[in-house]
Amino acid sequence: MHNKTKYTEFHLLSKMELQMEEQNQSKRRLRVCVATCNRADYSKLAPIMFGIKSHPDEFELEVVVLGSHLIDDYGNTFRMIEQDDFDIGSKLHTVVRGEDEAAMVESVGLALVKLPDVLQRLHPDILVVHGDRFDALALATAAALMNIRILHLEGGEVSGTIDDSIRHAISKLAHYHACCTRRAEQHLIAMCEDHSRILLAGCPSYDKLLVSHHREDYMDIIKSWLGDKVKENDYIVALQHPVTTDIQHSIKIYGLMLDALLSFNKKTLILFPNIDAGSKEMVRVMRKKGIEQHHNFRAVKHIPFEQFIQLVCHAGCMIGNSSCGVREAGAFGTPVINLGTRQTGRETGENVLHVRDADTHNKIYHALELQFGKRYPCSKIYGDGNAVPRILKFLRAIDLEEPLQKTFCFPSVKDCISQDIDHILETQSALAVDLGGTNLRVAIICMRGKVVKKYTQPNPKTFEARMELILKMCRDAMRDAVRLNCRILGVGVSTGGRVNPQEGVVMHSTKLIKEWSSVDLRTPISDALHLPVWVDNDGNCAALAEKKFGHGKGVENFVTVITGTGIGGGIIHHNELIHGSTFCAAELGHIMVSLDGPECSCGSHGCIEAYASGMALQREAKRLHDEDLLKVEGMDMKLSEPITAAHLINAARLGNSKAEAVLNKACTALGVGIVNILHIVNPSMVILSGVLASYYQAPVQHIVSQRALFSAQSIKVVSSDLEEPALLGAASIVLDYATRRLY
């Protein structure tokens, strides 16, 4: 009996020890090795390294430095890693000098000789590799052969050079992927990568540049590199690298660029090319032309990323073929001239002007004339500033017990529409803003038209307070969007009055919104949120909402009429929204149906709005009430209750002949106006939207059948089913434009 008790106690202790050991194993920190090869990839890796370092209870960070970081000619950039207070676990001298094709191959071989000892000693759970450099290919090859899991950053992108082959080769070796754009994600899926191991994160460098580019000391930084006389937006940043598949053409384009810059006669900060084959010849061209001694030029080997951000952000133009031009520069709206083929295939914003080839420097000079000094809307194609939190969340979710062997998904997945795989996919969404006479509303709206979250505040009476509130509500929504798994593609604004959508300017406002004429909405919102912004009239937005989500879906020609406080609308003709030469097309409320009718808010007389709008009906309701002709038996009215159009409609339904007469006149005015629209535009459908739509639908249809020309009498008048046409329309501009646009 005694022995049995001892055995039981021992068995229980062993079981408890096993459980404790399992718990300790489950709490073990993830050992992450980040390998950086050059100044460019460190700008993308550093934010992740800081993120990992800030969670010492979850992650153990190891840093390996190799490649051009350790070469004096390229600035010994490993020192900036040390200045950022990272402990470098290993420094590997892997570059074979020569700057030609053979030297690149030998450098890969040398790295493969040295890496196994380092990786064996560090024994990481996962190796983080960035991009498409030959050094990164050596890292991925070594790790894959040593059964170390690999997270590849910025896979799936297309640039049109040997970098593509290297990038895609690394993707095939990698176990996990953190890509920057939806298109890159689709490319990885088409390459048969497992969709569940792909994270659409955005570019990590955006986490830093979107936060830090608005520095107060930016002019001090600019002057420290270009001299005290330089002005903001009055200098050029030049950065051109060799294309290893066509070195001679690279050298030719580089020389033409320098000639164009010399002729253009502006202060220019020029960075030395990277270490790829052909760079030595490019430096010779630069020195032959005397660039380093020229008073307009400052030639440098390296600039710290935080300072480089300021220089690019406030430049009059950036020129060359660096990926920074097509990626980071777009976040600031900085004009870019992309030379040659090195970035062919990259997704770009409208700030990029391509010069694919040139025989003389004249074409490049002309491009400088076109681009220098311009500003473009901020583009966030490559990130929204939240990449690092997504990547850390992705790392936490990695199951080290899963089989290490990769599995590929054959056949390739086409047009994947999955939008909700926990932290891996996000919902493409828009930020919609609706400026009404009473309320200011902001909403997060997804691709399918669902309002994910809505925010409502009273619309302030002054311009300053209104703009401040718009930006605050948008920032709140942006923060919530990350938590709600929504990727905001841009901002759409719906507002009353005449709008120039090309410039994003409210030209003339309605009387309901004070201090709202000649207002540039696009610039302050885009600058504050780093997002593209579209602005349009609320009537046009209602038409766009119907086109994407409502009765107008699939209809080539239709008209939307808003029947609310005022009367407005939008015209869709051959699937396109009609704005008119001075942006006042579809001011349907101001079609005159009487020469001597009541005064309209526009200052004219006899407009539809003067008869059929909510304001007009409220005016008539008050008149009848003041004459004690409104209230009828069965009608519930409180003394303190303000008189509205609803009271007029209620009175008519209860048999009030005076109220009926007012409403009949309103229906007739609206019906006659719509008949005029049918005779001018000849749409196949009329959609009534707004709070009065359901009341007007049947009477207007009757008037059309009675008064329209025979060929137009059968045109349907329907009532909208959409609850939020203005918000949905504003969102549709963003969702359609941002997702279909190809550059």
Side-chain angles (χ1 to χ4, degrees):
M1 188 74 178
H2 181 67
N3 289 337
K4 188 176 180 181
T5 305
K6 269 189 164 183
Y7 171 78
T8 306
E9 288 175 354
F10 173 77
H11 181 71
L12 288 170
L13 283 168
S14 299
K15 193 173 181 181
M16 289 171 65
E17 286 169 356
L18 282 169
Q19 288 174 343
M20 288 177 68
E21 187 177 346
E22 286 175 1
Q23 288 174 358
N24 288 335
Q25 285 179 350
S26 67
K27 291 179 181 177
R28 184 174 72 79
R29 295 185 298 169
L30 188 72
R31 190 178 295 114
V32 182
C33 178
V34 178
T36 173
C37 311
N38 54 60
R39 66 192 181 196
D41 79 6
Y42 181 65
S43 69
K44 316 292 177 67
L45 293 167
I48 300 172
M49 293 162 65
F50 280 113
I52 291 170
K53 190 177 179 182
S54 67
H55 294 83
D57 54 328
E58 297 179 273
F59 302 107
E60 182 180 343
L61 176 64
E62 295 287 352
V63 180
V64 174
V65 172
L66 64 159
S68 61
H69 272 308
L70 302 169
I71 297 178
D72 182 58
D73 287 355
Y74 293 88
N76 279 327
T77 50
F78 74 90
R79 293 196 182 100
M80 67 182 177
I81 303 172
E82 294 176 335
Q83 288 168 3
D84 285 340
D85 203 25
F86 289 114
D87 295 325
I88 299 176
S90 293
K91 296 176 185 174
L92 298 180
H93 292 270
T94 58
V95 174
V96 177
R97 300 305 299 271
E99 284 78 25
D100 59 15
E101 294 94 331
M104 290 169 64
V105 177
E106 290 169 359
S107 297
V108 172
L110 182 58
L112 285 171
V113 169
K114 293 187 174 185
L115 279 167
D117 287 341
V118 173
L119 294 177
Q120 204 161 31
R121 174 171 56 82
L122 297 178
H123 193 59
D125 295 315
I126 190 161
L127 175 71
V128 180
V129 178
H130 169 269
D132 48 29
R133 307 293 301 143
F134 57 84
D135 325 70
L137 179 60
L139 281 161
T141 303
L145 292 172
M146 294 180 71
N147 290 323
I148 296 169
R149 297 169 193 270
I150 302 165
L151 171 62
H152 183 209
L153 302 180
E154 298 188 7
E157 296 183 17
V158 178
S159 57
T161 65
I162 189 65
D163 294 349
D164 281 346
S165 301
I166 295 174
R167 187 185 310 109
H168 300 333
I170 296 171
S171 291
K172 301 315 293 180
L173 293 167
H175 303 80
Y176 307 97
H177 311 272
C179 57
C180 297
T181 70
R182 184 73 63 180
R183 191 184 299 177
E185 179 192 38
Q186 293 298 318
H187 289 163
L188 287 169
I189 294 168
M191 290 163 62
C192 306
E193 293 299 311
D194 184 348
H195 200 177
S196 68
R197 293 189 172 198
I198 302 171
L199 170 69
L200 178 54
C203 183
S205 65
Y206 271 55
D207 290 28
K208 197 167 188 177
L209 65 90
L210 291 180
V211 172
S212 61
H213 82 277
H214 281 303
R215 282 175 52 166
E216 293 181 1
D217 63 343
Y218 71 90
M219 279 309 301
D220 294 335
I221 293 170
I222 294 169
K223 289 177 180 179
S224 71
W225 291 98
L226 286 164
D228 292 335
K229 294 182 180 179
V230 72
K231 296 178 182 178
E232 183 180 2
N233 299 332
D234 197 38
Y235 62 91
I236 297 168
V237 174
L239 178 52
Q240 179 90 352
H241 299 303
V243 177
T244 55
T245 51
D246 195 351
I247 293 172
Q248 292 308 311
H249 183 261
S250 297
I251 296 166
K252 182 191 90 169
I253 287 285
Y254 188 64
L256 294 176
M257 178 191 79
L258 296 177
D259 290 339
L261 289 170
L262 286 164
S263 300
F264 200 67
N265 198 32
K266 287 288 181 182
K267 280 286 185 182
T268 301
L269 180 70
I270 186 165
L271 280 82
F272 277 65
N274 65 21
I275 201 169
D276 283 353
S279 59
K280 189 184 291 184
E281 288 83 354
M282 290 173 70
V283 172
R284 285 198 192 105
V285 170
M286 181 173 71
R287 287 177 173 157
K288 188 176 179 181
K289 293 181 183 291
I291 295 299
E292 289 172 292
Q293 290 77 41
H294 196 282
H295 67 279
N296 265 347
F297 286 81
R298 173 81 189 277
V300 296
K301 294 174 180 177
H302 167 67
I303 301 173
F305 183 65
E306 294 83 355
Q307 297 182 35
F308 187 61
I309 288 171
Q310 306 302 318
L311 289 159
V312 172
C313 175
H314 301 284
C317 180
M318 184 174 183
I319 188 170
N321 65 2
S322 168
S323 62
C324 176
V326 299
R327 296 170 69 99
E328 284 83 357
F332 315 129
T334 302
V336 172
I337 299 168
N338 182 58
L339 301 178
T341 59
R342 189 170 183 263
Q343 303 300 336
T344 299
R346 290 269 195 199
E347 296 171 74
T348 67
E350 59 185 285
N351 63 311
V352 178
L353 177 64
H354 295 281
V355 179
R356 309 287 184 193
D357 196 6
D359 294 319
T360 68
H361 78 277
N362 292 336
K363 188 185 288 187
I364 300 173
Y365 185 89
H366 185 57
L368 284 165
E369 288 183 317
L370 289 173
Q371 286 286 77
F372 187 79
K374 277 189 178 180
R375 293 327 276 181
Y376 289 90
C378 300
S379 164
K380 290 174 68 176
I381 295 171
Y382 287 94
D384 60 3
N386 295 293
V388 172
R390 295 187 187 109
I391 291 170
L392 295 184
K393 188 177 178 183
F394 192 60
L395 286 170
R396 291 186 190 102
I398 291 175
D399 183 2
L400 297 178
E401 300 301 317
E402 279 186 349
L404 186 66
Q405 177 59 49
K406 281 186 69 170
T407 57
F408 298 101
C409 301
F410 297 101
S412 59
V413 180
K414 294 182 180 178
D415 297 326
C416 178
I417 59 169
S418 297
Q419 295 293 318
D420 186 25
I421 306 180
D422 192 25
H423 58 277
I424 296 169
L425 284 181
E426 291 175 299
T427 304
Q428 292 192 41
S429 305
L431 216 56
V433 180
D434 176 33
L435 284 142
T438 305
N439 291 324
L440 197 164
R441 301 183 303 157
V442 173
I444 302 168
I445 296 177
C446 73
M447 185 64 73
R448 296 183 181 180
K450 178 186 175 185
V451 178
V452 180
K453 188 165 184 181
K454 186 167 67 174
Y455 312 77
T456 304
Q457 292 286 344
N459 194 345
K461 301 301 181 186
T462 64
F463 167 77
E464 290 79 7
R466 189 175 299 126
M467 286 304 305
E468 186 177 342
L469 182 58
I470 290 171
L471 295 177
K472 180 185 181 303
M473 292 173 72
C474 287
R475 288 191 184 101
D476 290 344
M478 291 283 289
R479 281 193 294 270
D480 289 344
V482 177
R483 178 177 54 81
L484 294 167
N485 222 32
C486 293
R487 174 174 294 276
I488 303 298
L489 301 174
V491 182
V493 182
S494 166
T495 180
R498 281 175 59 205
V499 175
N500 179 342
Q502 296 172 4
E503 301 293 334
V505 172
V506 181
M507 299 166 67
H508 304 292
S509 178
T510 65
K511 291 183 178 179
L512 295 174
I513 308 177
K514 305 297 182 184
E515 298 184 19
W516 207 238
S517 294
S518 301
V519 173
D520 178 3
L521 277 180
R522 174 182 290 164
T523 302
I525 297 176
S526 181
D527 286 350
L529 303 181
H530 314 294
L531 283 171
V533 176
W534 290 269
V535 185
D536 214 328
N537 165 270
D538 52 4
N540 289 335
C541 285
L544 291 171
E546 295 294 339
K547 181 176 183 290
K548 188 169 182 67
F549 303 112
H551 291 302
K553 194 170 184 178
V555 180
E556 189 175 1
N557 301 289
F558 69 89
V559 172
T560 297
V561 180
I562 299 178
T563 57
T565 307
I567 301 285
I571 300 170
I572 301 293
H573 186 64
H574 294 315
N575 288 317
E576 294 294 333
L577 182 67
I578 303 300
H579 284 104
S581 61
T582 58
F583 311 107
C584 67
E587 286 288 353
L588 308 180
H590 302 293
I591 294 175
M592 292 179 64
V593 291
S594 172
L595 295 177
D596 55 355
E599 185 178 0
C600 180
S601 61
C602 69
S604 186
H605 288 76
C607 300
I608 297 174
E609 187 171 291
Y611 288 103
S613 67
M615 286 190 302
L617 297 184
Q618 183 183 38
R619 182 192 68 226
E620 291 300 303
K622 286 180 178 178
R623 179 181 64 77
L624 291 176
H625 180 262
D626 292 344
E627 296 173 6
D628 203 21
L629 297 173
L630 181 63
K631 192 172 181 181
V632 294
E633 187 177 347
M635 187 172 172
D636 184 24
M637 284 182 62
K638 296 176 182 177
L639 290 174
S640 59
E641 188 178 13
I643 303 301
T644 66
H647 291 107
L648 187 74
I649 294 169
N650 192 23
R653 283 174 177 164
L654 292 172
N656 186 321
S657 60
K658 299 289 186 182
E660 284 179 355
V662 171
L663 289 172
N664 286 338
K665 186 180 286 188
C667 291
T668 302
L670 181 60
V672 168
I674 288 175
V675 167
N676 291 335
I677 295 168
L678 300 185
H679 292 167
I680 296 168
V681 184
N682 195 214
S684 55
M685 181 186 293
V686 175
I687 303 169
L688 299 183
S689 180
V691 293
L692 297 169
S694 59
Y695 179 82
Y696 281 136
Q697 186 269 327
V700 168
Q701 183 73 77
H702 177 72
I703 291 168
V704 168
S705 66
Q706 294 293 313
R707 299 201 180 196
L709 292 172
F710 179 77
S711 58
Q713 288 177 4
S714 61
I715 293 173
K716 290 291 182 186
V717 179
V718 298
S719 180
S720 174
D721 294 331
L722 301 179
E723 293 184 7
E724 300 286 359
L727 287 171
L728 288 172
S732 75
I733 311 175
V734 177
L735 297 173
D736 282 347
Y737 193 90
T739 56
R740 77 183 179 191
R741 188 166 194 177
L742 299 176
Y743 300 92

